[in-house]
Amino acid sequence: MAVPEKEEVFKEFLTEVKEIEKRDSVLTPKQQIERLLRPGSTYRNLNPFEVLQVEPETPLDEIKKKYRRLSILVHPDKNQDDAERAQQAFEAVNKAWKTLENEDSRKKCMEIIEEAVGRTEIMVQEKRKKAKKDGRSTAVPEDDPAEFKRAVKVLTMKLFADTERKRRELAERDQEERKRKREAEIEEEERAKAQKEWQKNFEESRENRVNSWQNFQTKSKEKKSSKKIKMFRPPKNKPESR
């Protein structure tokens, strides 16, 4: 009974995958795996919006739908001919969704996006000022929305990378600090153990010294007593000579 049920579930799984592929021809398993594991993906995938291919302003319920579609497409069971890489892509998709699902981590991501937009706008203004000062046209490539978006995307990736580096540095420092504290604790424990052992040995040796001294005194008294008895022993009576 369990086998037919499993087969039905698998059939539904395949049907859903086909519907997804039909609905969005870009989202094919191989394309998504390649996209998620392409060179530089270590830094690109730090941006969960980039991983799930959604805009930052996309509602969470829509992001969840996109996540579900992607997780099905790159699932190792769906890509058994490339299961290892599919697993890596699947983990990247899951991590991105968990990041955006959590309110605090999603807020931090939005702050990075907003910073990237703000810094790009400042960069564009600086370009205009320089062009005007040089007597050139104040038109800049970023006037094109697509170019502006690309500039924001590049800066966003850099900011996510910087944030991740800082996080790792803090984690390493924290680990080193914990290691240092633990080593200090171990050293203190060993010092206390050595002190306790020394104290124990000292007490035992002191007790031995006291016992030895008491034994010595006792023996000395016995010897003195023995000598005193011998010294005052009465002389033997000698017969009178006539």
Side-chain angles (χ1 to χ4, degrees), residues 63-74:
I63 294 177
K64 186 175 182 179
K65 291 177 183 178
K66 190 64 178 287
Y67 151 71
R68 190 165 180 272
R69 291 200 295 270
L70 277 174
S71 62
I72 290 174
L73 288 171
V74 301

Side-chain angles (χ1 to χ4, degrees), residues 52-66:
L52 299 179
Q53 293 183 306
V54 294
E55 296 298 329
E57 61 272 11
T58 304
L60 189 60
D61 57 342
E62 291 298 320
I63 294 177
K64 186 175 182 179
K65 291 177 183 178
K66 190 64 178 287

